[in-house]
Amino acid sequence: MADIRIENLRKEFGSFVAVQDSSFTVHDGEFLALLGPSGCGKTTTLRMIAGLELPSSGKIYLDGEDVTFNRASARDIAFVFQLFALYPHMNVRKNIGFPLLSQGMPKAEIRQRVEETARLLQIDHILNRSVSGLAGGDRQRVALGRAIVRRPKCFLMDEPLGTLDAEFREVMVHELRELHNRIHATTVYVTHDQHEAMAMADKIAVMNHGVIEQFGTPQEIYAKPATMYVADFIGSPPMNFMRFTSGLKNGDTSILLDGVDVAVPEIHQDVAESELALGVRPEHIRFSDASPLRGAVYGSEYLGTNQVVAVETQGGLIKARVPANRSFRIGETVGLEFNPAKLALFDCTSGRAVPSQLYQETRHG
Ligand code: ATP
């Protein structure tokens, strides 16, 4: 298996920049998710790593070797597409073994490798079945089998679960991660679905308009979003923003919001007077009659184990995830208390997080 390193990778289609100067490393055996909305440049990044698209500039290294201009077939990479075309007239065994047959591998060795792969994917009982009668999940397993059987240096997957229904998808998310834990293949996985990325990946690159906004572990991206875009994209419901205008000084440990002093993690930068946003996740809010920060209940969504209550405050509508055992009247006034250790501050002009104690602990790349 192998490291994948990309340096200042850029792709232009005419005057349109699809990928802007991306740099990251996927270490040997790591699972990276490229996450972002449609059109943000995920597939283009993946296609450049695969060798299916030439970069406008930048470098791609596979296991330390510069492969930027190598043909796809010379990169020893397996690419799993969303709609992986299986050969309908062949059975499962022949579909999985096909890449090895094309390489001219002896039949006995193919047989052994196919059976090993099928056992790994738990489809050894359907090896002699025709692929045309298989359900979506099994078709994907066969598709994966065809990729794994070659034992490539790494896997690139482009929304491989995109066509599956929700139930199967959940099962496959679990299976893919399990498979990864067993074979430790360096993997880059494209998805627009934050739940897939959070559940499977060791690292996530969150993309927006061709730019990597943040690269980090799922935990870092959730707890320490580098930008308002990331804070808004990750989490369900996403992070709340309460806008206010102020300056901040290095060492400040509180802000003035709606005339109320709110404790925040210690600020590590002077910020001139500008529009700022306090970022608070719904799960870090609780209702407290004693809190001077007040709002009126706008609506609530009962979720069984908890509920999401929307509250209209002077700083805007905010959503709190609170225990399900209390009912609220629309218009009822509530006091809001935030967990001070979890609060982020953003500069609304740049969209970037203001450095604070919250962001101090970890650095990754
Ligand atoms: P999706 O999930 O919708 O595929 P994505 O994040 O994978 O989204 P890309 O497919 O990488 O996005 O496309 C990024 C941008 O580049 C899009 O605006 C797309 O229209 C544009 N693009 C991609 N390929 C080409 C091409 N061959 N010619 C011109 N523009 C392209």
Side-chain angles (χ1 to χ4, degrees):
M1 288 298 158
D3 280 353
I4 300 170
R5 183 154 58 90
I6 69 170
E7 273 180 17
N8 303 316
L9 203 62
R10 185 178 178 88
K11 180 67 187 179
E12 295 164 8
F13 294 108
S15 60
F16 178 74
V17 184
V19 176
Q20 285 193 44
D21 311 315
S22 284
S23 298
F24 59 76
T25 301
V26 194
H27 296 292
D28 187 19
E30 255 182 1
F31 191 124
L32 169 74
L34 292 178
L35 173 68
S38 182
C40 71
K42 309 179 294 291
T43 296
T44 305
T45 304
L46 203 69
R47 286 174 60 80
M48 288 192 282
I49 299 172
L52 300 172
E53 197 84 69
L54 267 185
S56 305
S57 58
K59 294 275 183 206
I60 300 164
Y61 298 91
L62 191 58
D63 229 1
E65 182 197 351
D66 182 352
V67 297
T68 315
F69 298 106
N70 288 12
R71 280 179 295 117
S73 56
R75 293 193 189 191
D76 200 7
I77 281 175
F79 203 116
V80 183
F81 293 96
Q82 182 177 11
L83 289 171
F84 199 95
L86 298 175
Y87 300 113
H89 57 286
M90 292 183 190
N91 64 14
V92 171
R93 179 186 295 278
K94 287 197 169 137
N95 263 282
I96 296 178
F98 190 77
L100 304 183
L101 194 68
S102 324
Q103 284 173 13
M105 187 179 276
K107 286 224 165 82
E109 204 177 323
I110 295 180
R111 189 179 180 82
Q112 189 198 337
R113 282 250 214 134
V114 168
E115 286 175 5
E116 219 176 84
T117 304
R119 272 197 300 278
L120 197 64
L121 291 161
Q122 289 159 6
I123 50 172
D124 40 338
H125 59 294
I126 58 167
L127 272 176
N128 296 322
R129 291 255 306 267
S130 156
V131 292
S132 48
L134 297 180
D138 282 339
R139 291 180 71 84
Q140 286 293 339
R141 289 181 195 108
V142 177
L144 280 171
R146 221 159 80 172
I148 294 169
V149 79
R150 280 178 38 212
R151 298 183 189 157
K153 280 195 172 149
C154 48
F155 290 103
L156 306 181
M157 302 193 189
D158 194 355
E159 305 252 14
L161 311 182
T163 53
L164 301 183
D165 61 37
E167 194 187 335
F168 254 139
R169 203 139 132 181
E170 214 170 291
V171 173
M172 286 305 289
V173 163
H174 179 72
E175 282 190 22
L176 273 179
R177 182 63 223 193
E178 281 285 299
L179 180 68
H180 181 76
N181 291 345
R182 271 178 272 149
I183 65 177
H184 295 292
T186 309
T187 303
V188 184
Y189 184 100
V190 160
T191 181
H192 64 275
D193 182 332
Q194 56 160 315
H195 300 292
E196 274 183 25
M198 298 292 268
M200 280 194 273
D202 300 309
K203 300 271 177 64
I204 299 176
V206 184
M207 293 189 70
N208 178 26
H209 292 304
V211 174
I212 294 179
E213 295 249 341
Q214 188 168 5
F215 186 94
T217 63
Q219 292 78 3
E220 283 163 351
I221 282 175
Y222 171 80
K224 302 168 186 180
T227 63
M228 291 176 86
Y229 174 84
V230 173
D232 186 52
F233 195 79
I234 301 287
S236 162
M239 186 177 263
N240 297 288
F241 299 118
M242 303 179 79
R243 288 170 187 258
F244 63 104
T245 302
S246 170
L248 294 174
K249 281 197 306 300
N250 192 5
D252 280 354
T253 53
S254 69
I255 58 163
L256 202 61
L257 190 73
D258 295 352
V260 175
D261 250 334
V262 175
V264 294
E266 186 181 320
I267 305 298
H268 288 169
Q269 188 182 298
D270 290 334
V271 181
E273 185 89 4
S274 62
E275 195 190 1
L276 299 169
L278 177 70
V280 51
R281 293 225 175 261
E283 40 279 41
H284 300 144
I285 302 175
R286 59 177 196 169
F287 293 144
S288 153
D289 290 340
S291 173
L293 195 68
R294 316 217 43 100
V297 172
Y298 180 80
S300 69
E301 190 187 348
Y302 176 70
L303 298 171
T305 49
N306 54 50
Q307 60 183 323
V308 174
V309 181
V311 179
E312 190 76 64
T313 70
Q314 273 189 49
L317 192 71
I318 71 164
K319 290 186 174 179
R321 186 184 292 279
V322 294
N325 58 4
R326 188 180 150 187
S327 50
F328 296 92
R329 270 179 302 104
I330 305 290
E332 176 182 345
T333 300
V334 288
L336 301 170
E337 213 170 73
F338 305 147
N339 180 344
K342 307 280 187 187
L343 298 177
L345 281 160
F346 299 92
D347 184 323
C348 296
T349 310
S350 67
R352 300 204 68 79
V354 174
S356 72
Q357 187 70 32
L358 180 70
Y359 289 85
Q360 203 184 24
E361 289 133 36
T362 41
R363 285 278 171 273
H364 281 268

